[in-house]
């Protein structure tokens, strides 16, 4: 039972506390450590402009040497592991990467630890991009939770987000998915939407919106972090990972296709997502990256888990009007109308 503070009555009737409560001490932030690491930024096809690159069973061939970059990993917990404010890395193969003296070894793609460092760096970069737009500051936070990132946990050429466990698994078929930043960030896009609308993506159209937003975020983050690519098309998603299953020029999907609703709907979320992602791409082209990404992400708070294209488009128009006025809302309306969504 709480104890009643002791008080003393003075002769004048004033009450004074016998003992003042000790001032509260703020807990120390456990995620302030940094360390250097080696990554692709965002992937060797974009960086080198070589459409002839192949996986070669993870061989660290000399052709890859110019694509490695030394970066600073932020928001770490100081344990020497890849554990931080927004992500903790778990590897299914190989020993866990460890830092010594504030630096991870300069792992290359022939080492499992390279993908661990890639995963940590690019999930953190994606969250920092979102915060750079004002989320968590002037706007409400978006997905500022620590997620688990599982490296090489799936043997096929696929990666996925599990909303029941709030974790991401990166596959190792073909080019290991952890070697391409745009695959990593795409999957983080699913985590973002789930953080905003738990259980998002329960229908064909909402699932397509999820795939489209993941593609859009992948391109937006990689261009923000490394600059707009000059050797490949910016609208091309996952140039490196897709070398295992596409012809040159390699793209997992594109953001600038010409699909139209409902004629081009085929009932497969990745394919149908290209209708939605083209609208997002046109919004970005019209309003610039910062305003477009801000309103696109802000609008998602108003989505339902089973939202339709039309309802989500209307919410996006409303977010544009609320944040930037009628001209921005008009540009967003035009983008969705061009796709047949509005």
């Amino acid at each position: 039972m709480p104890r009643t503070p002791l008080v003393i009555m003075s002769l004048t009737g004033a009450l004074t506390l016998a003992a003042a409560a000790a001032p509260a001490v703020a807990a120390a932030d456990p995620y302030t450590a940094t360390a250097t690491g080696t990554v692709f930024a965002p992937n060797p096809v974009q960086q080198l402009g070589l459409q002839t690159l192949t996986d070669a069973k993870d061989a660290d061939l000399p052709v890859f040497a110019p694509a490695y970059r030394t970066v600073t990993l932020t928001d770490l917990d100081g344990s020497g592991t890849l554990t931080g404010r927004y992500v903790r890395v778990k590897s299914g193969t190989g020993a866990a990467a460890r830092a010594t003296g504030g630096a991870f070894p300069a792992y290359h793609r022939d080492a499992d630890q390279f993908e661990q460092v890639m995963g940590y760096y690019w999930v953190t970069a994606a969250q920092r991009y979102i915060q750079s737009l004002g989320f968590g500051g002037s706007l409400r936070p978006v997905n500022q939770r620590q997620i688990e990132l599982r490296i090489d946990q799936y043997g096929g050429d696929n990666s996925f987000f599990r909303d029941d466990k709030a974790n991401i698994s990166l596959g190792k078929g073909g080019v290991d998915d952890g070697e391409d930043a745009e695959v990593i960030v795409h999957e983080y896009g699913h985590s973002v939407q789930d953080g905003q609308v738990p259980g998002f993506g329960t229908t064909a159209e909402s699932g397509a919106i999820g795939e489209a937003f993941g593609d859009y975020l992948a391109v937006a983050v990689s261009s923000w972090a490394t600059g707009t690519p000059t050797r490949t098309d910016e609208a091309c998603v996952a140039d490196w990972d897709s070398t295992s299953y596409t012809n040159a020029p390699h793209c997992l999907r594109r953001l600038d296709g010409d699909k139209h609703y409902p004629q081009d709907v085929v009932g497969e979320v990745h394919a149908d997502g290209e209708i939605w992602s083209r609208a997002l791409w046109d919004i970005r082209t019209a309003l610039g990256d910062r305003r477009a990404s801000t309103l696109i992400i802000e609008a998602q708070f108003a989505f339902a888990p089973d939202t339709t294209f039309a309802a989500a488009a209307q919410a996006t128009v409303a977010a544009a009007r609320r944040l930037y006025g009628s001209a921005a809302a008009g540009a967003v309306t035009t983008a969705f109308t061009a796709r047949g969504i509005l």
Side-chain angles (χ1 to χ4, degrees):
M1 178 180 294
R3 300 181 66 181
T4 303
L6 176 64
V7 297
I8 300 174
M9 179 72 74
S10 71
L11 294 177
T12 60
L15 296 177
T16 59
L17 290 177
V25 178
D29 185 348
Y31 299 112
T32 59
T34 62
T36 57
T38 301
V39 299
F40 288 145
N43 67 56
V45 173
Q46 278 198 33
Q47 292 171 263
L48 307 177
L50 297 177
Q51 297 288 341
T52 56
L53 291 175
T54 61
D55 180 57
K57 297 183 178 180
D58 289 348
D60 186 32
L61 302 175
V63 70
F64 292 102
Y68 293 112
R69 296 286 184 273
T70 299
V71 296
T72 299
L73 310 181
T74 64
D75 303 285
L76 290 160
D77 70 352
S79 66
T81 66
L82 290 166
T83 304
R85 191 185 308 274
Y86 308 115
V87 58
R88 65 185 184 278
V89 173
K90 181 176 181 179
S91 178
T93 58
R98 295 198 67 90
T100 303
F104 285 90
Y107 302 116
H108 283 189
R109 66 181 300 265
D110 56 342
D112 295 323
Q113 295 83 0
F114 174 72
E115 293 160 53
Q116 298 173 34
V117 175
M118 278 283 292
Y120 184 91
Y121 177 77
W122 282 103
V123 166
T124 303
Q127 176 55 223
R128 289 205 158 213
Y129 168 75
I130 291 169
Q131 291 183 26
S132 78
L133 302 173
F135 293 100
S138 59
L139 299 168
R140 62 191 124 175
V142 170
N143 207 41
Q144 290 185 12
R145 57 182 172 177
Q146 185 192 69
I147 66 164
E148 182 179 84
L149 182 69
R150 295 169 172 247
I151 306 294
D152 289 346
Q153 293 284 304
Y154 179 73
D157 194 3
N158 192 21
S159 295
F160 49 88
F161 169 75
R162 286 189 58 173
D163 59 354
D164 60 333
K165 295 183 179 295
N167 65 32
I168 292 171
S169 292
L170 298 178
K172 58 182 179 179
V175 173
D176 294 345
D177 287 358
E179 290 188 28
D180 194 322
E182 292 185 343
V183 175
I184 298 167
V185 178
H186 170 94
E187 296 305 329
Y188 188 67
H190 292 301
S191 179
V192 168
Q193 287 184 318
D194 178 75
Q196 293 181 277
V197 182
F200 182 81
T202 60
T203 61
E205 289 196 4
S206 59
I209 289 171
E211 298 302 334
F213 175 71
D215 285 352
Y216 174 88
L217 187 67
V219 168
V221 170
S222 65
S223 291
W224 174 78
T226 66
T228 302
T230 58
R231 296 182 173 93
T232 59
D233 291 341
E234 185 184 21
C236 179
V237 183
D239 323 56
W240 172 220
D241 179 73
S242 59
T243 59
S244 298
Y245 47 81
T246 64
N247 297 319
H250 298 290
C251 297
L252 169 60
R253 285 177 294 276
R254 297 189 66 93
L255 301 181
D256 59 355
D258 59 2
K259 290 183 179 181
H260 194 269
Y261 185 87
Q263 297 92 328
D264 293 313
V265 171
V266 296
E268 197 283 318
V269 292
H270 300 88
D272 295 346
E274 290 184 296
I275 303 171
W276 187 264
S277 64
R278 171 59 191 271
L280 302 187
W281 181 252
D282 287 347
I283 294 168
R284 186 173 182 261
T285 300
L287 300 179
D289 179 82
R290 183 176 181 83
R291 290 202 296 169
S293 294
T294 302
L295 71 88
I296 286 166
I297 294 171
E298 175 64 21
Q300 292 177 163
F301 282 111
F303 290 4
D306 60 350
T307 194
T308 63
F309 274 14
Q314 290 162 0
T316 307
V317 172
R321 180 174 290 107
R322 184 172 66 253
L323 291 174
Y324 303 119
S326 59
V332 174
T333 300
T334 297
F336 285 121
T337 301
R339 296 299 103 212
I341 296 172
L342 289 179

